[in-house]
Amino acid sequence: DTAVSQTPKYLVTQMGNDKSIKCEQNLGHDTMYWYKQDSKKFLKIMFSYNNKELIINETVPNRFSPKSPDKAHLNLHINSLELGDSAVYFCASSQDRGRKLFFGSGTQLSVL
Amino acid sequence: GESVGLHLPTLSVQEGDNSIINCAYSNSASDYFIWYKQESGKGPQFIIDIRSNMDKRQGQRVTVLLNKTVKHLSLQIAATQPGDSAVYFCAENGNSGYSTLTFGKGTMLLVSP
């Protein structure tokens, strides 16, 4: 049983395209997150949702739009992809905000 | 702004040695700290956490030490094994209004057989 699952694992696309990454958690957690990990392994928070409501929106271009249809899902849609968007994107969830996060296995996005 | 951790260093040890991975934090308001292990191609996995009202916590083969006076966190791994080879991250919760974890830059641990 995968606690936090995200798809796809790999995403290769051209500049200017629009793509989505899906995330689902079966832990019953109230809070979900998207983190971006750059080539130097630095993990940076992008968004956080609590019970479908946005609670954190760090300095992220508005080309990135999270969508939470229910508290078990948090999808990430990216418009007009740029080369600099290439990174590994991790979905995570936690029962309590700012406490132990459970991470998905990541989506490696490559923009060509 | 506040930050956690150091530049990504590499720690190389021999199998069976004890490993110590260090992390400096600067947000004195943080009340929760955590260590993660990330293997190649995988997401970060929880190792151990500690609240600010404690200075030591032990798990299986791992110990976390918290020194609030000097804002320092360390992870000790006993009898290090090749399977412990990974990138290790510390994180704190004092930024973003305690709503999420802020991660340090990670330490690569390499264990030789």
Side-chain angles (χ1 to χ4, degrees), chain A residues 35 43, chain B residues 2-4 90-96 100-104:
Chain A
Y35 276 79
L43 277 160
Chain B
E2 306 262 45
S3 64
V4 173
C90 63
E92 61 166 335
N93 76 331
N95 300 321
S96 300
T100 189
L101 296 176
T102 299
F103 283 79

Side-chain angles (χ1 to χ4, degrees), chain A residues 9 33 35 37 40-43 45 48 56 58 90 97-101 103-105, chain B residues 8 31-32 34 36 38 41-44 46 51 89 93 96 98-101 103 105:
Chain A
K9 174 72 173 173
Y33 311 80
Y35 276 79
Q37 187 172 48
K40 297 180 180 178
K41 298 291 189 181
F42 186 62
L43 277 160
I45 181 69
S48 174
I56 293 177
E58 292 294 312
F90 286 101
R97 297 187 205 179
R99 293 289 188 261
K100 183 164 75 173
L101 268 58
F103 283 88
S105 58
Chain B
L8 182 64
D31 64 3
Y32 177 81
I34 190 168
Y36 281 90
Q38 186 179 19
K42 297 183 179 179
F46 167 80
R51 294 178 186 268
F89 294 95
N93 76 331
S96 300
Y98 301 94
S99 292
T100 189
L101 296 176
F103 283 79
K105 293 186 179 180

Side-chain angles (χ1 to χ4, degrees), chain B residues 22-34:
Chain B
N22 296 303
C23 177
Y25 69 94
S26 57
N27 192 337
S28 58
S30 293
D31 64 3
Y32 177 81
F33 304 86
I34 190 168

Side-chain angles (χ1 to χ4, degrees), chain A residues 58-84:
Chain A
E58 292 294 312
T59 306
V60 176
N62 58 14
R63 298 182 294 104
F64 290 78
S65 53
K67 288 184 172 56
S68 182
D70 55 62
K71 76 171 193 176
H73 295 83
L74 181 62
N75 303 322
L76 184 65
H77 188 76
I78 315 170
N79 289 327
S80 303
L81 278 155
E82 301 178 357
L83 293 175

Side-chain angles (χ1 to χ4, degrees), chain B:
Chain B
E2 306 262 45
S3 64
V4 173
L6 307 171
H7 297 293
L8 182 64
T10 299
L11 176 64
S12 296
V13 301
Q14 295 288 322
E15 183 176 3
D17 287 352
N18 295 330
S19 302
I20 300 176
I21 300 171
N22 296 303
C23 177
Y25 69 94
S26 57
N27 192 337
S28 58
S30 293
D31 64 3
Y32 177 81
F33 304 86
I34 190 168
W35 282 96
Y36 281 90
K37 172 186 180 183
Q38 186 179 19
E39 298 174 282
S40 181
K42 297 183 179 179
Q45 292 177 286
F46 167 80
I47 301 173
I48 192 167
D49 56 3
I50 189 168
R51 294 178 186 268
S52 60
N53 61 354
M54 302 171 68
D55 53 20
K56 180 178 180 179
R57 192 171 186 211
Q58 288 183 293
Q60 188 176 16
R61 283 203 305 120
V62 295
T63 301
V64 56
L65 297 177
L66 175 62
N67 186 330
K68 294 182 288 292
T69 302
V70 295
K71 295 178 187 155
H72 185 267
L73 192 67
S74 68
L75 177 70
Q76 301 178 358
I77 304 173
T80 314
Q81 302 167 0
D84 294 327
S85 294
V87 177
Y88 289 79
F89 294 95
C90 63
E92 61 166 335
N93 76 331
N95 300 321
S96 300
Y98 301 94
S99 292
T100 189
L101 296 176
T102 299
F103 283 79
K105 293 186 179 180
T107 296
M108 172 85 71
L109 176 65
L110 297 174
V111 184
S112 305

Side-chain angles (χ1 to χ4, degrees), chain A residues 17-64:
Chain A
N17 284 349
D18 303 338
K19 291 292 179 185
S20 293
I21 307 172
K22 295 185 176 181
C23 179
E24 175 182 7
Q25 54 96 3
N26 63 6
L27 297 167
H29 288 167
D30 290 334
T31 309
M32 296 186 72
Y33 311 80
W34 279 107
Y35 276 79
K36 178 180 180 180
Q37 187 172 48
D38 62 21
S39 58
K40 297 180 180 178
K41 298 291 189 181
F42 186 62
L43 277 160
K44 183 174 172 57
I45 181 69
M46 298 174 68
F47 302 102
S48 174
Y49 270 71
N50 183 261
N51 276 320
K52 302 192 299 175
E53 290 191 23
L54 180 67
I55 57 172
I56 293 177
N57 183 352
E58 292 294 312
T59 306
V60 176
N62 58 14
R63 298 182 294 104
F64 290 78

Side-chain angles (χ1 to χ4, degrees), chain A residues 88-104:
Chain A
V88 182
Y89 293 84
F90 286 101
C91 177
S93 72
S94 68
Q95 182 54 48
D96 300 313
R97 297 187 205 179
R99 293 289 188 261
K100 183 164 75 173
L101 268 58
F102 292 78
F103 283 88

